Amino acid sequence: MHKNPQNLNAFLFDQGCSEDLRSLLTFIARAGKYVAHAIKTGDIGKAGTSNLYGEEQLSLDILADEIFGEHLVESNLVSAFASEEQEQLVTILGDNGKFSVAFDPLDGSSLIDTNVTIGSIFAIWEGNGFLGRKGSEIVAAGYFSYGPRTTLVLSLGNIVDEFVLNDIGEFQIYRSNLCIKPTSKTFSPGNLRAIPEKPAYAHLLQHWISNTKTLRYTGGMVPDINSILCKGNGIFTYPSHSQYPQGKLRLLYECAPMAFIVNCAGGKAVNEKGNPILDIACENLHDRTSIFLGSTQEVDTSIEFFQRIHY
Ligand code: AHG
Ligand code: MN
Ligand code: MN
C-alpha cells in the first residue's frame, strides 16, 4: 500500500503513458465507476432479450454496454469498438481515431442475483479495427472487479497494477507490480461439463486434488482470475467440449485481455493445444477459444495432461 496513493491519471503520467492513452483510460475508468454504481442501484432483472450467443441479457448487460459505448464516443479518440453484447463493430471516428477498444461490459452477469463479485473486461489496440489483430498487439488491457470494493487491474504491457475506487470517486493506486509465481497452490476449473468427453480433464483434476491444491472457483472469469493475480499464483482452465467446440469464452472480449494481463504479471495463457492466446489472430469479432491461464508451470503441466491420449 502506498503512503500517499496517486490517482490513476497521476500514476499513468508518472509511468510515461502517452496523453492520448491516458485520456482514453480515464474515460474507461469513469465508465467503470458508473457501471459500479448501476450494479448497486439498478434493476438486476432480465431484459427479455438475448445476445448473439443466445444468452439471456439482463437490463444491466445492456446498460453497462451503453455506458462503455458512450464513454468511448465521448473520449473522441476511438476509431471503433466491439462489445460482447453487440453483433457488429461500432465505428466512431474510423481512420481519424487513434484506438480500437474491445470490451465485455459485464462479465458474470448471470451471477448477479447471488450477489457475488462480477466485472468488466477491456483491451485497447492502436489503429482502426480488430480483424487479423492479435493479443500481442494490445497496448493496454484491464478489468474492473465489482466486489465489496471496486477495483481496476490494469497493464500497459510491462507491469500490472491494481487501483481501488475511493469514496470521492477516483481510482487510486492500491498495489503495484502484481506478479504470478510459476507454481500454484490453487486451481479454478471451468466447464467440468467437458469431463465425459475429455477424461484428461478428470485426470488433471485428480492430479490437483492428489497434490492437495485448493479449489478456488466462483463461476465468474473476473473474480477467478483476479484471485490468481491478487494471491500471486493459481490456474484458471476453460476447455472446449461439444456444446462449445471452440471453447465458450470470447477471444476479443475476455481471453486476449486476460492473457495480456496475466503475461505481464509473469504468468502464461494458452489454448488447450498449448498455443499462446496472444498469438491467435482475430478472424471474427466473436471468435471463442479454450483457455488455460495462470502460473506457468501449472499451465504447462495441464497442457501435458490434455495432450496425453492414453488413459
Ligand atoms: P458473461 O457473463 O460475459 O457471458 O461471461 C460469463 C463467463 C465467465 O465469467 C465464466 O468464466 C464463464 O462464463 C462460466 O460459464 P459456465 O458457468 O457456463 O461454465
Ligand atoms: Mn464474460
Ligand atoms: Mn458479458
Side-chain angles (χ1 to χ4, degrees):
M1 181 80 183
H2 291 233
K3 274 187 182 161
N4 296 304
Q6 281 183 306
N7 68 25
L8 177 67
N9 188 43
F11 187 86
L12 292 173
F13 183 85
D14 276 4
Q15 275 203 336
C17 176
S18 76
E19 199 176 330
D20 284 342
L21 186 56
R22 188 159 51 92
S23 173
L24 176 57
L25 287 167
T26 305
F27 277 95
I28 291 174
R30 193 179 303 157
K33 184 169 74 175
Y34 282 108
V35 172
H37 180 71
I39 291 167
K40 285 197 180 117
T41 57
D43 168 19
I44 62 160
K46 292 175 182 161
T49 50
S50 299
N51 64 14
L52 68 150
Y53 308 99
E55 298 163 347
E56 272 191 321
Q57 288 176 306
L58 301 185
S59 310
L60 269 179
D61 284 314
I62 296 171
L63 180 57
D65 184 48
E66 288 170 358
I67 290 171
F68 277 103
E70 282 163 10
H71 281 79
L72 296 180
V73 171
E74 214 181 303
S75 75
N76 208 29
L77 285 161
V78 174
S79 296
F81 71 79
S83 162
E84 188 193 76
E85 297 300 335
Q86 297 191 41
E87 193 158 358
Q88 308 285 342
L89 179 78
V90 179
T91 299
I92 306 176
L93 299 174
D95 289 337
N96 296 322
K98 300 244 161 126
F99 303 104
S100 293
V101 184
F103 60 92
D104 176 356
L106 216 48
D107 177 72
S109 56
S110 68
L111 303 170
I112 195 162
D113 55 347
T114 67
N115 201 24
V116 299
T117 295
I118 55 176
S120 305
I121 310 169
F122 63 90
I124 303 170
W125 284 258
E126 280 177 341
N128 185 9
F130 302 95
L131 300 186
R133 310 293 297 273
K134 295 177 179 175
S136 55
E137 299 166 45
I138 288 172
V139 293
Y143 62 81
F144 298 92
S145 178
Y146 310 111
R149 298 176 305 165
T150 293
T151 58
L152 164 64
V153 171
L154 177 68
S155 180
L156 308 187
N158 37 31
I159 58 172
V160 181
D161 301 306
E162 183 189 25
F163 302 83
V164 65
L165 184 61
N166 66 19
D167 56 8
I168 57 164
E170 286 192 334
F171 282 95
Q172 64 185 41
I173 186 71
Y174 178 59
R175 283 185 284 198
S176 192
N177 198 15
L178 299 180
C179 292
I180 300 174
K181 291 192 183 77
T183 56
S184 171
K185 294 182 195 161
T186 62
F187 62 104
S188 307
N191 201 21
L192 297 184
R193 293 169 300 242
I195 282 180
E197 295 171 22
K198 299 198 165 170
Y201 203 18
H203 287 268
L204 178 57
L205 278 181
Q206 189 55 54
H207 163 79
W208 285 328
I209 293 165
S210 305
N211 284 277
T212 62
K213 296 192 191 295
T214 303
L215 175 69
R216 285 286 178 269
Y217 189 70
T218 68
M221 191 188 200
V222 166
D224 285 331
I225 295 178
N226 191 48
S227 167
I228 297 173
L229 282 148
C230 293
K231 298 296 184 189
N233 73 93
I235 181 164
F236 173 82
T237 50
Y238 206 107
S240 66
H241 81 302
S242 51
Q243 190 188 347
Y244 303 121
Q246 308 302 320
K248 174 185 176 184
L249 297 170
R250 277 93 3 176
L251 177 66
L252 213 50
Y253 316 113
E254 294 162 324
C255 295
M258 288 303 200
F260 180 84
I261 296 164
V262 164
N263 272 267
C264 292
K268 184 167 183 175
V270 297
N271 65 12
E272 65 197 11
K273 292 181 184 148
N275 300 322
I277 297 291
L278 295 181
D279 289 350
I280 304 173
C282 169
E283 291 177 3
N284 292 291
L285 293 183
H286 299 284
D287 285 349
R288 303 181 194 242
T289 178
S290 54
I291 188 164
F292 285 58
L293 154 166
S295 294
T296 51
Q297 284 180 25
E298 208 58 55
V299 170
D300 290 342
T301 304
S302 304
I303 296 303
E304 279 168 28
F305 270 82
F306 259 68
Q307 286 174 348
R308 279 183 213 161
I309 42 175
H310 300 297
Y311 277 105

